[in-house]
Amino acid sequence: MTFHDQTASLIAQAVGRLSGNFSWALLGGVVQQFLIDAMKLAGSQLAEQGHEKKALVMAALSQLLDTLPLPTWLALLRVPLKSLLLHIADGAIEAIYLRFQEQISHE
């Protein structure tokens, strides 16, 4: 399975978690878990350098944010919400990566 196929599977799982349910906490948890899982996939599946892996993870997150089922009132704000979440994720990826590195060094 390619990285794209596996991230498509992660997107389907995330959509399933939010289908029929919405809360800010659930949305945040779904996005956070998606980032962690996509980063693990990128680390194990891709030979690209770090910044290229990050770009692929960000592209996958962008696809997720385009796909997530949102309540009607929030779907009207999808574009600015997506922009905000992508900016937050850009920094979060760095923090998650550092946490992974610390875990690896302690093993």
Side-chain angles (χ1 to χ4, degrees):
M1 257 184 144
T2 67
F3 177 76
H4 177 73
D5 293 337
Q6 290 177 320
T7 56
S9 176
L10 291 177
I11 289 170
Q13 291 172 18
V15 167
R17 286 183 61 201
L18 274 174
S19 292
N21 299 310
F22 179 82
S23 71
W24 289 107
L26 182 58
L27 176 63
V30 165
V31 170
Q32 179 184 12
Q33 190 61 54
F34 179 84
L35 276 178
I36 291 169
D37 293 343
M39 288 177 67
K40 286 179 181 178
L41 280 175
S44 65
Q45 298 281 323
L46 302 174
E48 285 85 351
Q49 297 297 318
H51 64 281
E52 294 166 333
K53 287 180 185 178
K54 181 178 180 179
L56 290 168
V57 169
M58 290 292 288
L61 177 61
S62 180
Q63 287 180 313
L64 170 70
L65 296 174
D66 287 338
T67 308
L68 285 178
L70 298 175
T72 304
W73 62 270
L74 189 56
L76 298 171
L77 301 172
R78 184 180 296 274
V79 172
L81 177 64
K82 177 181 174 181
S83 178
L84 175 65
L85 290 175
L86 287 172
H87 283 294
I88 292 169
D90 189 45
I93 287 172
E94 301 297 329
I96 293 167
Y97 176 76
L98 290 174
R99 192 175 91 206
F100 285 159
Q101 292 299 351
E102 288 176 7
Q103 287 176 348
I104 290 170
S105 69
H106 288 87
E107 291 178 355

